[in-house]
Amino acid sequence: MNTVTSRFVLKFFLITMVNSAPFMSTDPQPSIFSLLKRHIWRFAVVGIVCAAIALGTAMLRPLQWKADLLFQIGQVGNAAGILIDPNNVVQRIKFPGFAAQILSALNLPEDLNADPRSKLISSSFTASVVKGGSLINLSVNGFSKEDAIKNLQASFLLIEKEHEQLLTPLVSRLKKNLDEVNENISKIEIERQSIFEPISKINTPAMIDKKFSESIVLVNTLKVRDSELHGLHDQKNSIEDQLNPSHTFNTKIFDKIFVSFNPESRNISTFTLLGLLFGLIFAGIWAVLNDKELLVALHGLFYDSNEIST
């Protein structure tokens, strides 16, 4: 509703209430402040009652504990081979389907109104990327420290399993490449040995003169095979380095779960202030509806007094 519409509605309400009021004297009207003083008891009683109700509601809210976990996204080969973009992981956690899977793993109903624990878990999930790395901070609440830890463990376990499905085929491919390299190394070593034996038999001047051309070909072939073997060993070392657990690993816990020593704040002061504010507004409306002089005074405050007769 825009400002013009709101002004029109307020004007219509005030004019209607004023016109419906009985004939009043044309003597100067008392000030709004003096008129409001007549209803000080309304503001006091209603404000205090509403604030008390809000305070009681806040006090009756069950205590909650927050559990935090820092975990690192898995990688293949090196940091550049990260399994999945951390921002995508955060969006996955925030997606409603993630909370539904956690509730299922914890044997809790997916209907958030059926169990307060379900509603708490679904509403308290938060995740954020730690600046400058592949670390993610995950947090969730529970009605006890133990529940908070259990909820967080179930959440990380689901993430870990999903990332393992991404990691497995990549590791399998590296292992297959390693097997192929080892097989090629074995073939070249056998071939190299078969080339080296004839060369070793050419050990006399007569044999060298007789098989000079043949020995040159064999030596050149041996050099080629040695070069290929050297390249394969480099490739093998590279793959083995990539498969090293320090370079290739699944998503893992970076630091242990932390649970707050004290429960989360119930926001008692916020609830109380909101209750008081609501009570004062309600008391003000009640006063206006029961005091025509106050209604006329408010109308005169916002609009020209000549408009009252229209």
Side-chain angles (χ1 to χ4, degrees):
M1 183 180 292
N2 56 36
T3 305
V4 175
T5 305
S6 302
R7 185 180 177 86
F8 175 78
V9 172
L10 178 60
K11 178 179 178 180
F12 177 79
F13 171 76
L14 290 174
I15 291 176
T16 301
M17 294 300 295
V18 169
N19 289 339
S20 64
F23 175 78
M24 300 178 61
S25 172
T26 58
D27 295 336
Q29 298 295 319
S31 66
I32 293 179
F33 179 74
S34 62
L35 291 172
L36 288 175
K37 286 178 64 176
R38 299 178 185 174
H39 307 280
I40 189 66
W41 64 272
R42 294 183 193 268
F43 288 100
V45 172
V46 176
I48 292 174
V49 169
C50 289
I53 292 174
L55 175 62
T57 302
M59 293 294 293
L60 291 174
R61 294 177 65 201
L63 294 175
Q64 299 178 18
W65 278 262
K66 181 181 180 182
D68 289 277
L69 171 66
L70 194 64
F71 66 88
Q72 182 178 7
I73 302 297
Q75 64 181 43
V76 178
N78 51 51
I82 190 168
L83 284 176
I84 184 172
D85 188 330
N87 291 301
N88 292 341
V89 177
V90 171
Q91 293 305 315
R92 165 73 175 115
I93 294 171
K94 292 180 179 180
F95 188 70
F98 181 82
Q101 288 180 273
I102 299 303
L103 295 177
S104 177
L106 293 170
N107 296 318
L108 293 174
E110 294 185 20
D111 182 1
L112 303 185
N113 295 320
D115 193 314
R117 291 175 297 175
S118 298
K119 187 173 183 179
L120 175 62
I121 292 172
S122 181
S123 62
S124 64
F125 265 124
T126 58
S128 60
V129 179
V130 177
K131 186 177 181 180
S134 59
L135 301 178
I136 292 180
N137 182 62
L138 176 65
S139 64
V140 66
N141 289 8
F143 289 126
S144 67
K145 291 184 178 181
E146 293 73 19
D147 280 350
I149 293 174
K150 186 188 300 183
N151 298 340
L152 196 55
Q153 287 174 334
S155 305
F156 177 74
L157 183 61
L158 176 59
I159 296 171
E160 186 181 41
K161 287 182 177 179
E162 289 181 348
H163 291 190
E164 186 177 8
Q165 294 175 356
L166 300 174
L167 178 67
T168 300
L170 298 175
V171 172
S172 297
R173 190 193 315 171
L174 283 175
K175 289 182 177 179
K176 182 180 179 181
N177 292 341
L178 182 60
D179 291 339
E180 291 176 353
V181 170
N182 285 330
E183 185 179 348
N184 291 333
I185 288 175
S186 298
K187 288 180 180 179
I188 290 179
E189 286 181 340
I190 293 173
E191 185 178 354
R192 183 177 178 277
Q193 185 64 30
S194 66
I195 295 172
F196 184 75
E197 288 179 359
I199 294 177
S200 63
K201 293 178 181 179
I202 305 175
N203 55 8
T204 64
M207 289 290 292
I208 292 174
D209 291 338
K210 183 178 179 180
K211 296 189 175 183
F212 179 76
S213 298
E214 181 180 346
S215 63
I216 292 297
V217 173
L218 291 174
V219 169
N220 288 336
T221 303
L222 186 61
K223 288 182 178 180
V224 172
R225 294 295 176 266
D226 284 344
S227 177
E228 291 177 351
L229 192 61
H230 181 74
L232 287 171
H233 278 294
D234 287 343
Q235 189 175 351
K236 176 182 177 180
N237 292 336
S238 175
I239 296 175
E240 287 178 340
D241 185 62
Q242 291 181 64
L243 288 171
N244 188 299
S246 63
H247 296 155
T248 294
F249 51 84
N250 190 20
T251 295
K252 60 184 180 180
I253 295 176
F254 189 80
D255 201 357
K256 64 180 182 179
I257 294 176
F258 173 79
V259 183
S260 56
F261 181 77
N262 296 316
E264 292 283 282
S265 171
R266 291 172 169 175
N267 296 321
I268 293 176
S269 58
T270 302
F271 270 77
T272 304
L273 288 174
L274 288 176
L276 177 62
L277 179 62
F278 174 81
L280 293 176
I281 293 174
F282 181 79
I285 296 174
W286 186 13
V288 169
L289 294 177
N290 287 272
D291 190 331
K292 302 303 181 181
E293 285 186 284
L294 178 59
L295 183 63
V296 171
L298 287 174
H299 183 276
L301 180 66
F302 292 102
Y303 303 101
D304 188 270
S305 59
N306 294 328
E307 294 182 4
I308 298 179
S309 60
T310 60

